[in-house]
Amino acid sequence: MILKPVGMYREMYRDQHGDLPSIADAVTRQTLPDHAEIIGYLNNAPAGFDVMESVKHLFEEGRWIPGGSSLNSDGVWVWRQDSIEYLAEQPLEVPADFVNYVRANDYNPPTVDASDTFYDALLRYF
């Protein structure tokens, strides 16, 4: 099983995951008409891996995001807790495949089969 990352950037990982895009390249002028619903979807995912730590905010010096490296997933896509904050607050590009998937699910994350295979795929991004 391979989960597709959304809102995840190499700057979140300090020299790991060089395969991820740079957050600088994700800046856009586009605003999705259903932006609030997509953020709601990200917040309501049923499965994840919680981490009790705060991470530095990538845009605001001196600001920290509690549980920022915690992982969330809908069984197809994976994102971090701090990803939600960045996507909610910054004009960042959201993959069209993800947007189409969320819309097809009527903005309701599906139930995830939380198997060992799923958690192995999820932890690839920890």
Side-chain angles (χ1 to χ4, degrees), residues 33-106:
D34 51 354
H35 182 258
E37 291 84 355
I38 291 170
I39 298 304
Y41 180 97
L42 292 168
N43 277 314
N44 292 320
F49 178 75
D50 292 325
V51 180
M52 300 286 290
E53 73 168 349
S54 291
V55 297
K56 288 184 179 183
H57 197 285
L58 294 177
F59 292 103
E60 296 180 32
E61 191 170 328
R63 184 172 168 199
W64 294 79
I65 302 173
S69 61
S70 296
L71 297 168
N72 302 293
S73 180
D74 59 10
V76 174
W77 295 87
V78 61
W79 57 93
R80 289 171 39 132
Q81 189 64 33
D82 53 353
S83 299
I84 300 170
E85 186 153 337
Y86 299 132
L87 291 170
E89 295 179 359
Q90 306 296 324
L92 298 173
E93 189 172 320
V94 180
D97 288 349
F98 175 73
V99 172
N100 292 335
Y101 182 79
V102 170
R103 289 173 179 161
N105 280 292
D106 199 27

